[in-house]
Amino acid sequence: MHIAVVGTGYVGLVTGTCFAETGNQVTCVDIDANKVARMQAGEIPIFEPGLDLLFERNTRQNRLHFTTDLQSAVDKAEIIFLALPTPPGEGGAADLRYILGVADDLSRMIKRYTVIVDKSTVPVGTSEKVHAALARHLSEDLFDVVSNPEFLREGLAVDDFMKPDRVVIGTSSDRAKKAMQHLYQPFVRQGNPIIFMDERSAEMTKYAANSYLAARITFMNEIANLCERVGANVDMVRIGMGTDTRIGKRFLFPGVGYGGSCFPKDVQALAITAEEFDYDFAMLKTVMGVNERQKGVLVDKIRTYYQGDLSGKTIAVWGLAFKPNTDDIREAPALAIIDRLLEEGVRIQAYDPEAMENVRQSYGDRITLTETAYDALDGADALAIITEWSAFRSPDFDELRSRMKETVIFDGRNVFDLDEIGQEVQYYDSIGRHVMKNSSRSDQ
Ligand SMILES: NC(=O)c1ccc[n+]([C@@H]2O[C@H](COP(=O)([O-])OP(=O)(O)OC[C@H]3O[C@@H](n4cnc5c(N)ncnc54)[C@H](O)[C@@H]3O)[C@@H](O)[C@H]2O)c1
């Protein structure tokens, strides 16, 4: 099939590349001319494991193309995916300006029957708005609008797209349904379902899934905070409860709050949808409040350790991306934590395997970004671990001890085993577990 994907970010580029991988002719469109030029030159503008192989193969085999010219992509396309940003607008609701703007453009460009698929995360009722925007200049028998929310996770996006747990498709048109079924068939050969439903339910499914996951993390963060107070170990509690098949093991890891480009804005957007429909979604409000508070937990621990005075301290930060295996720093808890530490007069020396360039653009010289994880430790009073990159899990502790002023670690992701770390450093405080103090290491 001939496909156009409008918006070539984390979702659009993965979507386009994976559809090319299954033999389709794909044109990816973006308004960012610089980004398009880089992709035309064979460069991938984001970090996403495994994407390079597919990108290279499909551009080489002439199935994957990039352009800023929407009309040329539309002329060929049987299906057009909208993978455009839906950031929080004024008041926090999803801003539909990008989606409706492109829908308006399409209404003047489409000349034969085309399926318009909304892949962005959008509030209930958006497909009707997109339909209305298209119908302004286009006969209704020349298009159908489908809601096809995307569930991929950054860092695992290629795998998630190639082997999805399920594909959700919201449409009331048989013609569009057939086209979507045909397109997605190669991705569900192992028997995972393509679930057809109405447009509103599809739109709601995405928000329900993300809000539930955010709530699950938030619940565990509350359990962890309570574990600290009652002297329990959240690691054991997590395993003890997660092995119940009704609960399941995934998404039970406590930390310094959820972040990223999706959970915060999607939880907020769903809360606003509830308000618009006069429903008091009390739980969502609590989730948002608790998550904000959780971003302060590590700073509180650091402040308490230094008896309220952080000025002049140097703190090394390991991990800036909102989670491992991505360079994405949108709404990353690390940034909230760094901002608070800077306000209290701390000097920050930070390292992340992939997110440094993005952080440099927003922080300039307000923090020091180092070449390696160990360089961040030079002369540091303490280390704060904020993103659980695998590379941080087994450091060379001799090196760490030789670089830091004192071996004091605040771990926002429970990266280390308590007994082992207790042997290695002077002071170790994590989330929902006992504080480890090692007096034999104090005199280094
Ligand atoms: N990132 C994720 O993990 C993820 C997962 C599932 C769903 N989503 C949803 O998918 C949507 C896209 O997210 P993303 O992370 O890929 O966004 P992104 O910001 O990475 O990418 C959006 C792209 O759209 C381009 N763009 C903006 N206006 C345009 C226009 N008029 N024409 C062409 N291109 C235009 C931008 O230049 C950018 O390259 C959002 O609704 C998001 O909530 C994201």
Side-chain angles (χ1 to χ4, degrees), residues 6-13 29-32 35 46 70 83-87 98-99 101-102 105 119-122 149-154 206 210 261-262 265-266 322 328 330:
V6 188
T8 315
Y10 289 86
V11 169
L13 183 55
V29 186
D30 208 287
I31 38 163
D32 183 337
K35 202 178 210 180
I46 54 168
L70 182 59
L84 293 156
T86 48
Y98 302 91
I99 304 269
V102 171
D105 293 342
K119 210 166 217 347
S120 298
T121 303
V122 290
E150 181 49 56
F151 299 96
L152 64 77
R153 295 163 292 174
E154 286 177 22
K206 173 65 188 175
N210 270 5
S261 67
C262 292
K265 83 171 170 58
D266 293 351
F322 84 91
D328 197 343
R330 291 178 282 186

mmCIF file of all heavy atoms in Angstrom, residues 6-13 29-32 35 46 70 83-87 98-99 101-102 105 119-122 149-154 206 210 261-262 265-266 322 328 330, ligand 1:
data_model
loop_
_atom_site.group_PDB
_atom_site.id
_atom_site.type_symbol
_atom_site.label_atom_id
_atom_site.label_comp_id
_atom_site.label_asym_id
_atom_site.label_seq_id
_atom_site.Cartn_x
_atom_site.Cartn_y
_atom_site.Cartn_z
ATOM 1 N N VAL A 6 2.261 11.769 8.565
ATOM 2 C CA VAL A 6 2.499 13.206 8.760
ATOM 3 C C VAL A 6 2.928 13.435 10.208
ATOM 4 O O VAL A 6 2.191 13.117 11.143
ATOM 5 C CB VAL A 6 1.232 14.031 8.444
ATOM 6 C CG1 VAL A 6 1.566 15.526 8.465
ATOM 7 C CG2 VAL A 6 0.646 13.624 7.109
ATOM 8 N N GLY A 7 4.133 13.972 10.381
ATOM 9 C CA GLY A 7 4.745 14.100 11.713
ATOM 10 C C GLY A 7 5.735 12.959 11.876
ATOM 11 O O GLY A 7 5.350 11.783 11.896
ATOM 12 N N THR A 8 7.017 13.305 11.932
ATOM 13 C CA THR A 8 8.046 12.253 11.931
ATOM 14 C C THR A 8 8.830 12.298 13.227
ATOM 15 O O THR A 8 10.053 12.408 13.237
ATOM 16 C CB THR A 8 8.966 12.426 10.694
ATOM 17 O OG1 THR A 8 8.130 12.678 9.568
ATOM 18 C CG2 THR A 8 9.774 11.190 10.413
ATOM 19 N N GLY A 9 8.117 12.235 14.351
ATOM 20 C CA GLY A 9 8.774 12.200 15.661
ATOM 21 C C GLY A 9 8.936 10.759 16.119
ATOM 22 O O GLY A 9 9.088 9.844 15.301
ATOM 23 N N TYR A 10 8.899 10.546 17.426
ATOM 24 C CA TYR A 10 9.104 9.206 17.981
ATOM 25 C C TYR A 10 8.065 8.230 17.436
ATOM 26 O O TYR A 10 8.382 7.087 17.104
ATOM 27 C CB TYR A 10 9.047 9.251 19.519
ATOM 28 C CG TYR A 10 10.257 9.922 20.115
ATOM 29 C CD1 TYR A 10 10.319 11.309 20.266
ATOM 30 C CD2 TYR A 10 11.364 9.174 20.490
ATOM 31 C CE1 TYR A 10 11.443 11.923 20.785
ATOM 32 C CE2 TYR A 10 12.493 9.785 21.017
ATOM 33 C CZ TYR A 10 12.531 11.156 21.160
ATOM 34 O OH TYR A 10 13.644 11.761 21.665
ATOM 35 N N VAL A 11 6.819 8.674 17.319
ATOM 36 C CA VAL A 11 5.772 7.768 16.836
ATOM 37 C C VAL A 11 5.773 7.685 15.308
ATOM 38 O O VAL A 11 5.776 6.590 14.735
ATOM 39 C CB VAL A 11 4.386 8.227 17.349
ATOM 40 C CG1 VAL A 11 3.261 7.480 16.649
ATOM 41 C CG2 VAL A 11 4.297 7.999 18.853
ATOM 42 N N GLY A 12 5.817 8.838 14.656
ATOM 43 C CA GLY A 12 5.708 8.857 13.196
ATOM 44 C C GLY A 12 6.847 8.126 12.510
ATOM 45 O O GLY A 12 6.621 7.347 11.574
ATOM 46 N N LEU A 13 8.068 8.350 12.978
ATOM 47 C CA LEU A 13 9.210 7.726 12.295
ATOM 48 C C LEU A 13 9.199 6.207 12.489
ATOM 49 O O LEU A 13 9.473 5.453 11.560
ATOM 50 C CB LEU A 13 10.533 8.331 12.812
ATOM 51 C CG LEU A 13 11.789 7.812 12.129
ATOM 52 C CD1 LEU A 13 11.720 7.982 10.611
ATOM 53 C CD2 LEU A 13 13.038 8.513 12.669
ATOM 54 N N VAL A 29 6.245 12.803 6.231
ATOM 55 C CA VAL A 29 6.204 14.251 5.998
ATOM 56 C C VAL A 29 6.438 14.965 7.326
ATOM 57 O O VAL A 29 5.885 14.575 8.347
ATOM 58 C CB VAL A 29 4.804 14.673 5.480
ATOM 59 C CG1 VAL A 29 4.792 16.143 5.101
ATOM 60 C CG2 VAL A 29 4.371 13.798 4.318
ATOM 61 N N ASP A 30 7.262 16.012 7.290
ATOM 62 C CA ASP A 30 7.432 16.827 8.494
ATOM 63 C C ASP A 30 7.609 18.277 8.082
ATOM 64 O O ASP A 30 8.126 18.556 7.003
ATOM 65 C CB ASP A 30 8.645 16.346 9.312
ATOM 66 C CG ASP A 30 8.481 16.641 10.793
ATOM 67 O OD1 ASP A 30 8.593 17.829 11.179
ATOM 68 O OD2 ASP A 30 8.226 15.701 11.577
ATOM 69 N N ILE A 31 7.179 19.205 8.965
ATOM 70 C CA ILE A 31 7.404 20.623 8.637
ATOM 71 C C ILE A 31 8.813 21.065 8.999
ATOM 72 O O ILE A 31 9.247 22.129 8.593
ATOM 73 C CB ILE A 31 6.436 21.605 9.361
ATOM 74 C CG1 ILE A 31 6.156 21.152 10.785
ATOM 75 C CG2 ILE A 31 5.202 21.861 8.577
ATOM 76 C CD1 ILE A 31 5.583 22.269 11.622
ATOM 77 N N ASP A 32 9.511 20.262 9.772
ATOM 78 C CA ASP A 32 10.869 20.618 10.200
ATOM 79 C C ASP A 32 11.848 20.241 9.071
ATOM 80 O O ASP A 32 12.254 19.088 8.927
ATOM 81 C CB ASP A 32 11.174 19.857 11.499
ATOM 82 C CG ASP A 32 12.531 20.215 12.078
ATOM 83 O OD1 ASP A 32 13.393 20.686 11.310
ATOM 84 O OD2 ASP A 32 12.723 20.009 13.289
ATOM 85 N N LYS A 35 15.127 18.539 9.988
ATOM 86 C CA LYS A 35 14.942 17.125 10.333
ATOM 87 C C LYS A 35 14.794 16.279 9.064
ATOM 88 O O LYS A 35 15.400 15.211 8.934
ATOM 89 C CB LYS A 35 13.660 17.027 11.181
ATOM 90 C CG LYS A 35 13.542 15.816 12.045
ATOM 91 C CD LYS A 35 12.234 15.927 12.844
ATOM 92 C CE LYS A 35 12.323 15.237 14.166
ATOM 93 N NZ LYS A 35 11.073 15.331 14.934
ATOM 94 N N ILE A 46 16.365 10.754 16.155
ATOM 95 C CA ILE A 46 16.089 10.378 17.543
ATOM 96 C C ILE A 46 16.897 9.134 17.887
ATOM 97 O O ILE A 46 17.373 8.433 16.991
ATOM 98 C CB ILE A 46 14.583 10.057 17.774
ATOM 99 C CG1 ILE A 46 14.105 8.984 16.774
ATOM 100 C CG2 ILE A 46 13.748 11.304 17.685
ATOM 101 C CD1 ILE A 46 12.747 8.392 17.108
ATOM 102 N N LEU A 70 3.728 18.103 1.723
ATOM 103 C CA LEU A 70 2.554 17.284 2.077
ATOM 104 C C LEU A 70 1.781 16.856 0.819
ATOM 105 O O LEU A 70 1.390 15.696 0.691
ATOM 106 C CB LEU A 70 1.651 18.077 3.033
ATOM 107 C CG LEU A 70 0.395 17.391 3.552
ATOM 108 C CD1 LEU A 70 0.723 16.105 4.309
ATOM 109 C CD2 LEU A 70 -0.411 18.323 4.464
ATOM 110 N N ALA A 83 0.625 11.622 12.895
ATOM 111 C CA ALA A 83 1.406 11.319 14.110
ATOM 112 C C ALA A 83 1.969 12.643 14.628
ATOM 113 O O ALA A 83 3.168 12.820 14.785
ATOM 114 C CB ALA A 83 2.518 10.325 13.783
ATOM 115 N N LEU A 84 1.060 13.556 14.863
ATOM 116 C CA LEU A 84 1.413 14.941 15.192
ATOM 117 C C LEU A 84 1.392 15.173 16.697
ATOM 118 O O LEU A 84 0.751 14.420 17.437
ATOM 119 C CB LEU A 84 0.405 15.860 14.500
ATOM 120 C CG LEU A 84 0.516 15.837 12.975
ATOM 121 C CD1 LEU A 84 -0.800 16.242 12.327
ATOM 122 C CD2 LEU A 84 1.668 16.741 12.526
ATOM 123 N N PRO A 85 2.065 16.219 17.152
ATOM 124 C CA PRO A 85 2.082 16.480 18.598
ATOM 125 C C PRO A 85 0.693 16.867 19.107
ATOM 126 O O PRO A 85 -0.063 17.521 18.385
ATOM 127 C CB PRO A 85 3.034 17.679 18.742
ATOM 128 C CG PRO A 85 3.656 17.908 17.415
ATOM 129 C CD PRO A 85 2.807 17.222 16.385
ATOM 130 N N THR A 86 0.392 16.456 20.323
ATOM 131 C CA THR A 86 -0.833 16.913 20.998
ATOM 132 C C THR A 86 -0.440 17.388 22.405
ATOM 133 O O THR A 86 -0.829 16.796 23.400
ATOM 134 C CB THR A 86 -1.885 15.787 21.096
ATOM 135 O OG1 THR A 86 -1.248 14.583 21.602
ATOM 136 C CG2 THR A 86 -2.519 15.490 19.767
ATOM 137 N N PRO A 87 0.359 18.452 22.471
ATOM 138 C CA PRO A 87 0.855 18.912 23.777
ATOM 139 C C PRO A 87 -0.284 19.529 24.594
ATOM 140 O O PRO A 87 -1.338 19.833 24.022
ATOM 141 C CB PRO A 87 1.877 19.989 23.396
ATOM 142 C CG PRO A 87 1.391 20.514 22.088
ATOM 143 C CD PRO A 87 0.748 19.358 21.380
ATOM 144 N N TYR A 98 -2.376 21.195 15.808
ATOM 145 C CA TYR A 98 -1.575 20.546 14.751
ATOM 146 C C TYR A 98 -2.440 19.590 13.930
ATOM 147 O O TYR A 98 -2.407 19.573 12.715
ATOM 148 C CB TYR A 98 -0.399 19.772 15.361
ATOM 149 C CG TYR A 98 0.513 20.642 16.186
ATOM 150 C CD1 TYR A 98 0.304 20.798 17.556
ATOM 151 C CD2 TYR A 98 1.574 21.322 15.600
ATOM 152 C CE1 TYR A 98 1.134 21.606 18.316
ATOM 153 C CE2 TYR A 98 2.409 22.139 16.347
ATOM 154 C CZ TYR A 98 2.181 22.281 17.717
ATOM 155 O OH TYR A 98 2.990 23.090 18.460
ATOM 156 N N ILE A 99 -3.238 18.806 14.655
ATOM 157 C CA ILE A 99 -4.089 17.811 13.985
ATOM 158 C C ILE A 99 -5.118 18.497 13.080
ATOM 159 O O ILE A 99 -5.256 18.148 11.911
ATOM 160 C CB ILE A 99 -4.872 16.987 15.059
ATOM 161 C CG1 ILE A 99 -3.922 16.335 16.054
ATOM 162 C CG2 ILE A 99 -5.855 16.025 14.422
ATOM 163 C CD1 ILE A 99 -3.478 14.979 15.703
ATOM 164 N N GLY A 101 -5.138 21.518 11.975
ATOM 165 C CA GLY A 101 -4.459 22.303 10.920
ATOM 166 C C GLY A 101 -4.136 21.421 9.724
ATOM 167 O O GLY A 101 -4.424 21.772 8.575
ATOM 168 N N VAL A 102 -3.581 20.255 9.994
ATOM 169 C CA VAL A 102 -3.233 19.347 8.891
ATOM 170 C C VAL A 102 -4.522 18.806 8.244
ATOM 171 O O VAL A 102 -4.598 18.680 7.015
ATOM 172 C CB VAL A 102 -2.307 18.198 9.371
ATOM 173 C CG1 VAL A 102 -2.143 17.145 8.285
ATOM 174 C CG2 VAL A 102 -0.942 18.751 9.776
ATOM 175 N N ASP A 105 -5.558 21.288 5.820
ATOM 176 C CA ASP A 105 -4.718 21.207 4.602
ATOM 177 C C ASP A 105 -5.174 20.040 3.722
ATOM 178 O O ASP A 105 -5.316 20.176 2.508
ATOM 179 C CB ASP A 105 -3.235 20.976 4.960
ATOM 180 C CG ASP A 105 -2.626 22.169 5.684
ATOM 181 O OD1 ASP A 105 -3.214 23.270 5.605
ATOM 182 O OD2 ASP A 105 -1.575 21.989 6.345
ATOM 183 N N LYS A 119 -3.220 8.780 14.696
ATOM 184 C CA LYS A 119 -2.366 7.962 15.553
ATOM 185 C C LYS A 119 -1.933 8.727 16.801
ATOM 186 O O LYS A 119 -1.422 8.162 17.753
ATOM 187 C CB LYS A 119 -1.125 7.509 14.762
ATOM 188 C CG LYS A 119 -0.686 6.176 15.310
ATOM 189 C CD LYS A 119 0.273 5.442 14.492
ATOM 190 C CE LYS A 119 0.067 3.963 14.485
ATOM 191 N NZ LYS A 119 -0.815 3.356 15.453
ATOM 192 N N SER A 120 -2.100 10.032 16.774
ATOM 193 C CA SER A 120 -1.767 10.831 17.953
ATOM 194 C C SER A 120 -2.734 10.483 19.082
ATOM 195 O O SER A 120 -3.810 9.940 18.835
ATOM 196 C CB SER A 120 -1.906 12.320 17.635
ATOM 197 O OG SER A 120 -1.018 12.697 16.624
ATOM 198 N N THR A 121 -2.336 10.817 20.300
ATOM 199 C CA THR A 121 -3.225 10.610 21.441
ATOM 200 C C THR A 121 -4.134 11.826 21.544
ATOM 201 O O THR A 121 -3.658 12.942 21.778
ATOM 202 C CB THR A 121 -2.386 10.447 22.724
ATOM 203 O OG1 THR A 121 -1.493 9.352 22.514
ATOM 204 C CG2 THR A 121 -3.267 10.182 23.932
ATOM 205 N N VAL A 122 -5.418 11.596 21.345
ATOM 206 C CA VAL A 122 -6.346 12.736 21.271
ATOM 207 C C VAL A 122 -7.602 12.486 22.104
ATOM 208 O O VAL A 122 -8.042 11.349 22.249
ATOM 209 C CB VAL A 122 -6.775 12.999 19.810
ATOM 210 C CG1 VAL A 122 -5.619 13.548 19.011
ATOM 211 C CG2 VAL A 122 -7.331 11.735 19.169
ATOM 212 N N PRO A 149 -5.003 4.558 18.081
ATOM 213 C CA PRO A 149 -4.017 5.016 19.064
ATOM 214 C C PRO A 149 -2.785 4.133 19.083
ATOM 215 O O PRO A 149 -2.863 2.940 18.769
ATOM 216 C CB PRO A 149 -4.779 4.921 20.391
ATOM 217 C CG PRO A 149 -5.923 4.008 20.137
ATOM 218 C CD PRO A 149 -6.263 4.146 18.686
ATOM 219 N N GLU A 150 -1.666 4.740 19.438
ATOM 220 C CA GLU A 150 -0.394 4.016 19.441
ATOM 221 C C GLU A 150 0.025 3.723 20.883
ATOM 222 O O GLU A 150 -0.041 4.581 21.742
ATOM 223 C CB GLU A 150 0.678 4.872 18.732
ATOM 224 C CG GLU A 150 2.028 4.215 18.663
ATOM 225 C CD GLU A 150 1.945 2.781 18.142
ATOM 226 O OE1 GLU A 150 1.418 2.579 17.040
ATOM 227 O OE2 GLU A 150 2.394 1.860 18.851
ATOM 228 N N PHE A 151 0.479 2.489 21.094
ATOM 229 C CA PHE A 151 0.854 2.069 22.454
ATOM 230 C C PHE A 151 2.342 1.810 22.597
ATOM 231 O O PHE A 151 2.787 1.286 23.623
ATOM 232 C CB PHE A 151 0.068 0.809 22.853
ATOM 233 C CG PHE A 151 -1.424 1.027 22.869
ATOM 234 C CD1 PHE A 151 -2.204 0.703 21.783
ATOM 235 C CD2 PHE A 151 -2.037 1.599 23.983
ATOM 236 C CE1 PHE A 151 -3.579 0.925 21.786
ATOM 237 C CE2 PHE A 151 -3.407 1.828 24.002
ATOM 238 C CZ PHE A 151 -4.184 1.488 22.904
ATOM 239 N N LEU A 152 3.143 2.136 21.591
ATOM 240 C CA LEU A 152 4.575 1.825 21.684
ATOM 241 C C LEU A 152 5.221 2.557 22.856
ATOM 242 O O LEU A 152 4.761 3.620 23.271
ATOM 243 C CB LEU A 152 5.295 2.182 20.381
ATOM 244 C CG LEU A 152 5.370 3.639 19.904
ATOM 245 C CD1 LEU A 152 6.390 4.457 20.661
ATOM 246 C CD2 LEU A 152 5.674 3.669 18.422
ATOM 247 N N ARG A 153 6.282 1.921 23.381
ATOM 248 C CA ARG A 153 7.071 2.554 24.448
ATOM 249 C C ARG A 153 8.387 3.027 23.858
ATOM 250 O O ARG A 153 9.049 2.264 23.160
ATOM 251 C CB ARG A 153 7.384 1.539 25.556
ATOM 252 C CG ARG A 153 6.167 1.044 26.303
ATOM 253 C CD ARG A 153 6.482 -0.226 27.060
ATOM 254 N NE ARG A 153 6.722 -1.338 26.143
ATOM 255 C CZ ARG A 153 7.128 -2.559 26.519
ATOM 256 N NH1 ARG A 153 7.384 -2.806 27.793
ATOM 257 N NH2 ARG A 153 7.315 -3.516 25.627
ATOM 258 N N GLU A 154 8.771 4.268 24.138
ATOM 259 C CA GLU A 154 10.092 4.711 23.694
ATOM 260 C C GLU A 154 11.128 3.791 24.306
ATOM 261 O O GLU A 154 10.990 3.340 25.441
ATOM 262 C CB GLU A 154 10.335 6.162 24.124
ATOM 263 C CG GLU A 154 9.530 7.130 23.282
ATOM 264 C CD GLU A 154 9.691 8.578 23.716
ATOM 265 O OE1 GLU A 154 10.697 8.916 24.364
ATOM 266 O OE2 GLU A 154 8.781 9.375 23.406
ATOM 267 N N LYS A 206 -6.863 4.658 24.803
ATOM 268 C CA LYS A 206 -5.478 5.123 24.967
ATOM 269 C C LYS A 206 -5.304 5.890 26.283
ATOM 270 O O LYS A 206 -4.370 5.659 27.048
ATOM 271 C CB LYS A 206 -5.100 6.002 23.766
ATOM 272 C CG LYS A 206 -3.757 6.678 23.874
ATOM 273 C CD LYS A 206 -2.600 5.694 23.879
ATOM 274 C CE LYS A 206 -1.299 6.399 24.190
ATOM 275 N NZ LYS A 206 -0.169 5.496 24.317
ATOM 276 N N ASN A 210 -2.975 4.656 29.558
ATOM 277 C CA ASN A 210 -1.887 5.462 30.112
ATOM 278 C C ASN A 210 -2.189 5.927 31.535
ATOM 279 O O ASN A 210 -1.311 5.944 32.394
ATOM 280 C CB ASN A 210 -1.602 6.676 29.221
ATOM 281 C CG ASN A 210 -0.559 6.341 28.165
ATOM 282 O OD1 ASN A 210 -0.141 5.195 28.047
ATOM 283 N ND2 ASN A 210 -0.155 7.317 27.391
ATOM 284 N N SER A 261 6.865 12.170 27.622
ATOM 285 C CA SER A 261 6.015 13.013 26.790
ATOM 286 C C SER A 261 4.567 12.558 26.830
ATOM 287 O O SER A 261 3.710 13.206 26.255
ATOM 288 C CB SER A 261 6.521 12.982 25.352
ATOM 289 O OG SER A 261 6.339 11.680 24.829
ATOM 290 N N CYS A 262 4.285 11.425 27.491
ATOM 291 C CA CYS A 262 2.912 10.904 27.421
ATOM 292 C C CYS A 262 2.159 10.935 28.749
ATOM 293 O O CYS A 262 1.128 11.592 28.854
ATOM 294 C CB CYS A 262 2.932 9.488 26.859
ATOM 295 S SG CYS A 262 3.427 9.460 25.125
ATOM 296 N N LYS A 265 0.966 14.417 30.362
ATOM 297 C CA LYS A 265 -0.029 15.185 29.584
ATOM 298 C C LYS A 265 -1.312 14.377 29.385
ATOM 299 O O LYS A 265 -2.400 14.932 29.348
ATOM 300 C CB LYS A 265 0.569 15.656 28.258
ATOM 301 C CG LYS A 265 0.561 14.635 27.141
ATOM 302 C CD LYS A 265 0.970 15.269 25.816
ATOM 303 C CE LYS A 265 1.215 14.225 24.736
ATOM 304 N NZ LYS A 265 0.099 13.332 24.435
ATOM 305 N N ASP A 266 -1.188 13.049 29.288
ATOM 306 C CA ASP A 266 -2.396 12.256 29.029
ATOM 307 C C ASP A 266 -3.277 12.156 30.280
ATOM 308 O O ASP A 266 -4.508 12.220 30.188
ATOM 309 C CB ASP A 266 -2.021 10.854 28.521
ATOM 310 C CG ASP A 266 -1.377 10.922 27.128
ATOM 311 O OD1 ASP A 266 -1.386 12.012 26.519
ATOM 312 O OD2 ASP A 266 -0.848 9.894 26.663
ATOM 313 N N PHE A 322 13.925 10.646 30.576
ATOM 314 C CA PHE A 322 12.818 10.333 31.493
ATOM 315 C C PHE A 322 12.754 8.854 31.835
ATOM 316 O O PHE A 322 12.141 8.454 32.819
ATOM 317 C CB PHE A 322 11.489 10.866 30.942
ATOM 318 C CG PHE A 322 10.789 9.972 29.962
ATOM 319 C CD1 PHE A 322 9.855 9.041 30.394
ATOM 320 C CD2 PHE A 322 11.049 10.072 28.601
ATOM 321 C CE1 PHE A 322 9.199 8.220 29.486
ATOM 322 C CE2 PHE A 322 10.397 9.256 27.689
ATOM 323 C CZ PHE A 322 9.479 8.335 28.125
ATOM 324 N N ASP A 328 14.891 11.101 25.167
ATOM 325 C CA ASP A 328 13.766 12.009 25.385
ATOM 326 C C ASP A 328 13.810 12.559 26.810
ATOM 327 O O ASP A 328 13.858 11.787 27.781
ATOM 328 C CB ASP A 328 12.458 11.229 25.152
ATOM 329 C CG ASP A 328 11.263 12.137 24.953
ATOM 330 O OD1 ASP A 328 11.348 13.328 25.299
ATOM 331 O OD2 ASP A 328 10.227 11.640 24.453
ATOM 332 N N ARG A 330 11.493 15.041 27.744
ATOM 333 C CA ARG A 330 10.259 15.778 28.001
ATOM 334 C C ARG A 330 9.668 15.351 29.353
ATOM 335 O O ARG A 330 9.466 14.180 29.598
ATOM 336 C CB ARG A 330 9.264 15.535 26.860
ATOM 337 C CG ARG A 330 9.715 16.196 25.558
ATOM 338 C CD ARG A 330 8.764 15.922 24.416
ATOM 339 N NE ARG A 330 8.922 14.595 23.856
ATOM 340 C CZ ARG A 330 8.272 14.165 22.779
ATOM 341 N NH1 ARG A 330 7.411 14.955 22.171
ATOM 342 N NH2 ARG A 330 8.467 12.947 22.310
HETATM 343 N N1 LIG B 1 6.342 9.314 22.191
HETATM 344 C C1 LIG B 1 5.649 8.268 22.586
HETATM 345 O O1 LIG B 1 6.153 7.382 23.259
HETATM 346 C C2 LIG B 1 4.199 8.137 22.207
HETATM 347 C C3 LIG B 1 3.569 6.895 22.353
HETATM 348 C C4 LIG B 1 2.229 6.778 21.980
HETATM 349 C C5 LIG B 1 1.541 7.886 21.513
HETATM 350 N N2 LIG B 1 2.177 9.092 21.397
HETATM 351 C C6 LIG B 1 1.416 10.225 20.840
HETATM 352 O O2 LIG B 1 1.782 10.376 19.476
HETATM 353 C C7 LIG B 1 1.782 11.763 19.106
HETATM 354 C C8 LIG B 1 3.123 12.158 18.549
HETATM 355 O O3 LIG B 1 4.096 11.996 19.590
HETATM 356 P P1 LIG B 1 5.660 12.037 19.328
HETATM 357 O O4 LIG B 1 6.323 11.718 20.602
HETATM 358 O O5 LIG B 1 5.994 11.250 18.101
HETATM 359 O O6 LIG B 1 5.843 13.600 18.984
HETATM 360 P P2 LIG B 1 7.158 14.352 18.464
HETATM 361 O O7 LIG B 1 7.080 15.707 19.031
HETATM 362 O O8 LIG B 1 8.355 13.494 18.686
HETATM 363 O O9 LIG B 1 6.946 14.422 16.871
HETATM 364 C C9 LIG B 1 5.996 15.206 16.231
HETATM 365 C C10 LIG B 1 6.512 15.613 14.867
HETATM 366 O O10 LIG B 1 5.480 16.301 14.175
HETATM 367 C C11 LIG B 1 6.071 17.340 13.410
HETATM 368 N N3 LIG B 1 5.055 18.314 13.025
HETATM 369 C C12 LIG B 1 4.462 19.289 13.765
HETATM 370 N N4 LIG B 1 3.564 19.949 13.035
HETATM 371 C C13 LIG B 1 3.571 19.393 11.797
HETATM 372 C C14 LIG B 1 2.863 19.646 10.604
HETATM 373 N N5 LIG B 1 1.939 20.604 10.508
HETATM 374 N N6 LIG B 1 3.136 18.870 9.514
HETATM 375 C C15 LIG B 1 4.065 17.902 9.569
HETATM 376 N N7 LIG B 1 4.775 17.625 10.700
HETATM 377 C C16 LIG B 1 4.530 18.358 11.783
HETATM 378 C C17 LIG B 1 7.160 17.869 14.319
HETATM 379 O O11 LIG B 1 8.139 18.614 13.587
HETATM 380 C C18 LIG B 1 7.711 16.570 14.910
HETATM 381 O O12 LIG B 1 8.758 16.050 14.124
HETATM 382 C C19 LIG B 1 1.344 12.522 20.351
HETATM 383 O O13 LIG B 1 -0.036 12.687 20.327
HETATM 384 C C20 LIG B 1 1.711 11.562 21.467
HETATM 385 O O14 LIG B 1 0.926 11.749 22.609
HETATM 386 C C21 LIG B 1 3.492 9.231 21.720
#
